[in-house]
Amino acid sequence: MYEVELKVRADHEPVRERLAELDAEPQGIVEQVDTYYDHPVRDFAETDEALRIRRETYEDESTARVTYKGPLVEEASKTREEWETGVDDGETMASILDELGFAPAATVEKIRERFSCDGYTVTLDNVAGLGEYVEVETEAEEESIDSAREGAIRLLQDLGLDADEQVRTSYLGLLLDESA
Amino acid sequence: MYEVELKVRADHEPVRERLAELDAEPQGIVEQVDTYYDHPVRDFAETDEALRIRRETYEDESTARVTYKGPLVEEASKTREEWETGVDDGETMASILDELGFAPAATVEKIRERFSCDGYTVTLDNVAGLGEYVEVETEAEEESIDSAREGAIRLLQDLGLDADEQVRTSYLGLLLDESA
C-alpha cells in the first residue's frame, strides 16, 4: 500500500467549519511525539528515507509505533512506501535502535485533530514551532495512486484550500529549515 | 537487568521427573521461530551482538518480539545486556529491518517446555536439527549476578545435571557449527 497525501499551511477555524458543512466525521484528537533517527552509515537526507519512533497519546492512552518510510515513488503527491508496526514499549525500541548505531536526529511534536471525509482522512495539525497545517490523506494500491491524488485535490478545494499551495516538505524538514 | 543462564545437553525425560519431585510449576509449552539478522556494517560475530525477531506460538496465539543482545559482560554465565519489546506485526518489523539493510542470517526453531522453580525458569528445549537441551535462567541486577549464577548451578545439580557440562554456544552458534 502507498500513502497519498497533500498538505497545506492553513488556519484551522474556517476549515473546521467547512468540515462540519460536509458532514465529516470527527475521529478524535491525538498528541504525537516523533523521534527521527540517523542511520549508522546511510545518509537518510541523501537517500530520502526516514526511520521514526512515534509516541502517541489518545484519550490518556499512550502507544508507540516504529515506522520506516522509503524514498518518494511519486513526487507530486509525496507518495512513498511505508512500513509501520506498533511496539509494546517505545523506550525499549529506542534503546535497541541506539545499540544498533541509530542516533536520534530530531523530534517533532504536534496535536492532530482528525476527520473522516469521503474515504479520506483530513487532519488539522498544530505543530510545535511551526503552526497550523491541514493534511488530506488516503492509502492506495500502486495502480490507483493517480485517482487517489485527484480525489485529494478535489477534497482540498471543497475545504476552501488550494492544492497548488501544497507544502511538500515534511514537518521534520520544515523544522530543520527553521533551525538552519 | 542481566540475564543469567546455564544450558546443558540432556535427555528431557529424567529431568521432567526430577522437576515433578521438586514441585516445579509447569509454565506451558511454546513454539519459537527465531530469525537472526546481520548488521549492515558491523560483523555481529566479531562484536558478539545479536538482533533477533522471535515469532512465538502459545496456545494457538501468535506473538512477535524484537530483541537486541549485547556482548558478554560475564563469560562464565553467558551474562549479557538484553533489550526486548513486543511488536504487533513480526512480518512488518522484518520488512523494516530489511529496508534498513539488516539481512536474515539464520533461523532457529524450537519447542520449549517451561517450569518455574525456586525463582528460576527451567526450560526443556527441543531444537530442530540439534536435539534436547535444558536451560536454567533468571534475571539479576549487576551486583547479584554471582549469587544468581551459584543458585543456577545448585538447581542444575538438583535436576541431576552437571554445570561443568555447560554448553556456552548459543543454538544459533551450534546450528552454524553443524552446517559449517
Side-chain angles (χ1 to χ4, degrees):
Chain A
M1 291 296 277
Y2 292 85
E3 182 181 90
V4 175
E5 69 177 49
L6 285 168
K7 179 174 72 191
V8 296
R9 203 178 187 325
D11 288 342
H12 286 171
E13 216 35 57
V15 177
R16 205 177 271 117
E17 283 165 23
R18 277 300 291 154
L19 283 166
E21 287 163 13
L22 293 170
D23 284 329
E25 198 177 329
Q27 302 289 316
I29 296 173
V30 300
E31 191 185 341
Q32 290 178 343
V33 180
D34 295 345
T35 306
Y36 287 87
Y37 286 85
D38 282 334
H39 191 280
V41 287
R42 262 184 237 164
D43 181 352
F44 278 165
E46 285 282 320
T47 59
D48 187 28
E49 299 168 283
L51 178 66
R52 177 184 75 194
I53 295 179
R54 168 168 288 177
R55 283 103 164 162
E56 190 166 276
T57 307
Y58 176 65
E59 291 177 353
D60 288 340
E61 284 268 316
S62 286
T63 56
R65 280 176 281 168
V66 58
T67 307
Y68 166 85
K69 294 186 181 220
L72 288 183
V73 295
E74 214 264 293
E75 180 65 36
S77 62
K78 289 187 56 201
T79 307
R80 40 180 91 242
E81 198 162 16
E82 184 172 317
W83 295 101
E84 179 169 85
T85 179
V87 297
D88 291 349
D89 186 330
E91 301 313 308
T92 299
M93 193 68 226
S95 296
I96 291 173
L97 290 181
D98 179 58
E99 296 281 5
L100 295 172
F102 293 79
T107 298
V108 180
E109 294 192 50
K110 61 183 171 300
I111 294 168
R112 322 195 80 179
E113 187 177 356
R114 287 206 184 92
F115 297 83
S116 176
C117 192
D118 284 340
Y120 287 83
T121 300
V122 178
T123 308
L124 310 190
D125 280 336
N126 195 330
V127 188
L130 291 178
E132 297 186 342
Y133 291 79
V134 175
E135 202 174 271
V136 171
E137 183 179 356
T138 194
E139 288 196 330
E141 298 290 349
E142 190 160 12
E143 60 274 18
S144 52
I145 288 176
D146 285 347
S147 64
R149 178 171 156 74
E150 286 158 20
I153 291 170
R154 277 194 305 275
L155 178 52
L156 264 188
Q157 286 168 341
D158 284 351
L159 295 172
L161 303 172
D162 186 350
D164 289 342
E165 291 174 15
Q166 180 184 0
V167 177
R168 290 195 168 79
T169 309
S170 66
Y171 296 133
L172 172 64
L174 293 170
L175 278 166
L176 294 176
D177 287 350
E178 295 256 320
S179 66
Chain B
M1 292 294 277
Y2 292 87
E3 181 183 272
V4 175
E5 70 176 46
L6 286 168
K7 177 174 72 188
V8 297
R9 203 181 190 322
D11 288 342
H12 286 171
E13 216 34 58
V15 177
R16 206 176 270 118
E17 285 167 21
R18 277 300 290 156
L19 284 165
E21 287 164 12
L22 292 170
D23 284 328
E25 200 176 326
Q27 301 290 316
I29 296 173
V30 299
E31 191 185 341
Q32 289 177 343
V33 179
D34 293 346
T35 305
Y36 288 86
Y37 285 85
D38 283 335
H39 192 281
V41 285
R42 261 184 237 164
D43 181 351
F44 277 166
E46 286 282 320
T47 59
D48 187 28
E49 299 168 283
L51 177 66
R52 178 184 75 195
I53 295 179
R54 168 167 288 176
R55 282 104 165 163
E56 190 164 275
T57 308
Y58 177 65
E59 292 177 352
D60 289 338
E61 284 267 318
S62 286
T63 56
R65 280 176 281 168
V66 59
T67 308
Y68 166 85
K69 294 187 183 220
L72 287 183
V73 294
E74 213 265 291
E75 180 64 35
S77 61
K78 288 186 57 199
T79 307
R80 44 178 91 242
E81 200 163 15
E82 185 172 316
W83 295 101
E84 180 170 84
T85 179
V87 296
D88 291 349
D89 187 330
E91 302 311 309
T92 298
M93 194 67 227
S95 295
I96 291 173
L97 291 181
D98 179 59
E99 297 281 6
L100 295 172
F102 293 80
T107 299
V108 180
E109 293 193 49
K110 59 185 173 299
I111 294 167
R112 323 194 80 177
E113 187 176 355
R114 288 208 184 93
F115 297 84
S116 177
C117 191
D118 285 340
Y120 288 83
T121 299
V122 179
T123 308
L124 311 189
D125 279 337
N126 195 330
V127 188
L130 290 178
E132 297 187 343
Y133 291 79
V134 174
E135 205 174 88
V136 172
E137 184 178 354
T138 194
E139 288 196 332
E141 298 289 350
E142 188 160 13
E143 59 275 17
S144 53
I145 289 176
D146 286 347
S147 65
R149 178 171 156 76
E150 286 158 21
I153 292 170
R154 278 195 304 277
L155 179 51
L156 264 188
Q157 285 168 342
D158 284 350
L159 295 172
L161 303 172
D162 187 349
D164 290 343
E165 291 175 13
Q166 182 185 359
V167 176
R168 290 195 168 80
T169 310
S170 66
Y171 296 133
L172 173 64
L174 293 170
L175 278 167
L176 293 176
D177 287 349
E178 294 253 320
S179 66

